[in-house]
Amino acid sequence: YFFKKILSDLGELKFHKLFNLLFLIICIIFFIECFSTYNLFTTTGGGAEYHWQAIIGPNQMLAQGGYLLWDTPTTYGYLSHLFIHYIPIENKWLSFYWLNSSINFMVCMLCLFTFCYKKNLIILLFAFLLTYDLMFIVGGGNSYLNILGLNPSGFGFRFFWITILLFALINLRNLPFIKQFPYIFIIYILGFLWSFESAFFVSAALIPYFLHHTLFDSISVKNFLIFLI
């Protein structure tokens, strides 16, 4: 029994080391892909210069002393431009590159954690393949360009806060409403201020959340109204 216990512990230790090593390799792959500049300067379909200009333009005006939504119009959002503006890099194209790449990497990790619901090597590999396919292959089109970098409005930069909100709703579902409230509220406010589309996404996502707590949960009307306000 003693030797059997030792062998079992050694086997479990090797499994944890192998799992952690594989997880680290997957993180490195996602990091390289998200920060890749492959085909970033291509002119196909206008390239990154065409797709980025609607986002970078207002930030260039802010850098020249403009005030957002006062004398600096924006077609995309509010908080998203402030994030780019306050990144301590003078070149706003480079600021947006770092922000967009970081957001895409975080979305990759959220998908990986969601799909890998159990500490199992097969499930981890499945989660990696599913996340990689979702983020880098399916969205790449026939040309398999670096679509995350070329067209940021179709991926993490546009859908970041709704992804965070859904992730939080799933993982906090078993907590009492009053304990969920601070997390959901902060994520909702950030998502609402991020852009006009993001405001619609996060607001629509909370409709079934409200219905669930009012119809199927023993939530007090007072707590619900506080959250709703």
Side-chain angles (χ1 to χ4, degrees), residues 13 28 41 43-44 81 94 114 155 159 167 174 179-180 228-229:
L13 180 62
I28 293 174
F41 303 102
T43 57
T44 303
H81 290 290
L94 191 57
T114 302
F155 287 87
F159 303 108
F167 182 82
N174 294 324
K179 292 186 178 180
Q180 298 180 28
L228 188 62
I229 292 173

Side-chain angles (χ1 to χ4, degrees), residues 140-169:
N142 297 328
S143 56
Y144 294 101
L145 296 172
N146 177 20
I147 197 67
L148 290 182
L150 286 176
N151 188 13
S153 61
F155 287 87
F157 189 73
R158 172 177 286 180
F159 303 108
F160 178 61
W161 290 109
I162 181 59
T163 305
I164 294 285
L165 181 60
L166 293 177
F167 182 82
L169 290 175

Side-chain angles (χ1 to χ4, degrees), residues 26-41 52 87 89 93-109 132 135-136 146-150:
I26 291 174
C27 291
I28 293 174
I29 292 174
F30 284 158
F31 183 87
I32 293 173
E33 287 284 6
C34 289
F35 285 85
S36 172
T37 57
Y38 172 70
N39 273 330
L40 191 62
F41 303 102
W52 287 27
I87 292 178
I89 300 176
W93 291 85
L94 191 57
S95 297
F96 179 65
Y97 161 77
W98 284 106
L99 178 63
N100 182 54
S101 300
S102 300
I103 286 176
N104 285 324
F105 178 70
M106 286 187 281
V107 171
C108 283
M109 298 309 299
Y132 192 90
M135 295 294 295
F136 304 107
N146 177 20
I147 197 67
L148 290 182
L150 286 176

Side-chain angles (χ1 to χ4, degrees), residues 183-200:
Y183 303 102
I184 303 302
F185 180 74
I186 292 173
I187 295 172
Y188 173 77
I189 291 299
L190 292 173
F192 189 88
L193 296 176
W194 184 257
S195 70
F196 307 115
E197 287 179 319
S198 181
F200 172 78

Side-chain angles (χ1 to χ4, degrees), residues 12-132:
E12 186 175 350
L13 180 62
K14 289 181 179 179
F15 166 77
H16 285 299
K17 287 185 176 180
L18 181 59
F19 185 91
N20 293 335
L21 177 61
L22 183 59
F23 184 82
L24 178 61
I25 293 174
I26 291 174
C27 291
I28 293 174
I29 292 174
F30 284 158
F31 183 87
I32 293 173
E33 287 284 6
C34 289
F35 285 85
S36 172
T37 57
Y38 172 70
N39 273 330
L40 191 62
F41 303 102
T42 183
T43 57
T44 303
E49 184 176 2
Y50 171 77
H51 293 288
W52 287 27
Q53 187 58 53
I55 301 172
I56 301 298
N59 284 95
Q60 291 177 321
M61 297 177 68
L62 289 176
Q64 298 173 15
Y67 292 92
L68 192 61
L69 300 182
W70 182 255
D71 57 3
T72 301
T74 170
T75 59
Y76 189 72
Y78 179 73
L79 195 59
S80 55
H81 290 290
L82 294 182
F83 265 71
I84 300 171
H85 180 68
Y86 286 110
I87 292 178
I89 300 176
E90 184 176 357
N91 189 320
K92 295 309 169 185
W93 291 85
L94 191 57
S95 297
F96 179 65
Y97 161 77
W98 284 106
L99 178 63
N100 182 54
S101 300
S102 300
I103 286 176
N104 285 324
F105 178 70
M106 286 187 281
V107 171
C108 283
M109 298 309 299
L110 284 175
C111 292
L112 183 66
F113 279 116
T114 302
F115 298 144
C116 188
Y117 60 91
K118 187 178 180 181
K119 197 169 185 179
N120 181 284
L121 290 175
I122 296 178
I123 295 178
L124 178 61
L125 287 173
F126 174 78
F128 164 67
L129 294 175
L130 186 59
T131 303
Y132 192 90

